[in-house]
Amino acid sequence: MTTRILFVCLGNICRSPAAEGVFRMLAPWARTDSAGTSGWHVGEPPYGPMQAAARARGLDLSDLRARRIWPGDFEHFDLILAMDGATMADTEALRPEGNTTPLRVFTDYAPDRGANHVPDPYYTRDFEGALDLIEACARGLLADLRR
Ligand code: 4NP
């Protein structure tokens, strides 16, 4: 059973902590974490505007802290989900030799949305749109895990 799931984005202060926060509410039995491919915000809580948008939907992200992904994550998780193609490529580059942990783009789980990545609200400022897409992907992920 896939129960250990890591969400990855660039800064680990917007998209991946939001994905973690949404998914842990839908599936409290799962062991979730998130990480960034950059180390720019290590130790910081999620970005204020993202926390505010999440809070308005009943999601508290305030306990989360940014960290950087490292090769050991491939051994510690059953599934790694990247928020976009660049994040996925940078994550794949860290895969230890012989490791087969699935690594996918999160939007694969919401094919009806027609998106191949989660646009970064740090730049777009569309926190609502990002949360809408993340919620759809999280619901699709949960349905996939139950199959
Ligand atoms: P995230 O968004 O990858 O969704 O956490 C970003 C947050 C901060 C930066 C880039 C992306 N930054 O350049 O500081």
Side-chain angles (χ1 to χ4, degrees):
M1 181 67 181
T2 300
T3 58
R4 301 174 302 172
I5 301 171
L6 180 66
F7 300 94
V8 184
C9 63
L10 175 59
N12 194 208
I13 56 168
C14 286
R15 294 166 296 171
S16 61
E20 180 183 1
V22 168
F23 193 71
R24 72 180 177 181
M25 187 182 65
L26 292 177
W29 43 265
R31 288 160 62 188
T32 55
D33 197 6
S34 66
T37 54
S38 80
W40 300 333
H41 298 280
V42 169
E44 295 177 22
Y47 188 51
M50 178 52 97
Q51 281 203 58
R55 199 177 305 117
R57 297 178 185 215
L59 288 171
D60 181 3
L61 306 182
S62 64
D63 61 309
L64 303 177
R65 293 294 178 273
R67 71 173 180 88
R68 191 172 196 173
I69 189 170
W70 69 294
D73 286 320
F74 279 90
E75 319 286 357
H76 296 148
F77 292 92
D78 303 313
L79 175 64
I80 302 177
L81 295 171
M83 296 300 133
D84 58 45
T87 299
M88 188 160 85
D90 290 344
T91 298
E92 182 63 45
L94 300 174
R95 182 188 295 277
E97 204 177 320
N99 176 277
T100 59
T101 302
L103 167 63
R104 301 183 64 178
V105 175
F106 194 33
T107 47
D108 285 356
Y109 292 95
D112 56 309
R113 295 287 165 140
N116 64 3
H117 70 290
V118 179
D120 194 340
Y122 191 76
Y123 301 114
T124 68
R125 314 309 293 175
D126 183 8
F127 296 93
E128 297 302 327
L131 280 171
D132 288 344
L133 181 55
I134 285 167
E135 285 186 6
C137 297
R139 280 193 293 273
L141 170 61
L142 181 59
D144 190 81
L145 294 179
R146 282 179 169 154
R147 248 172 237 135

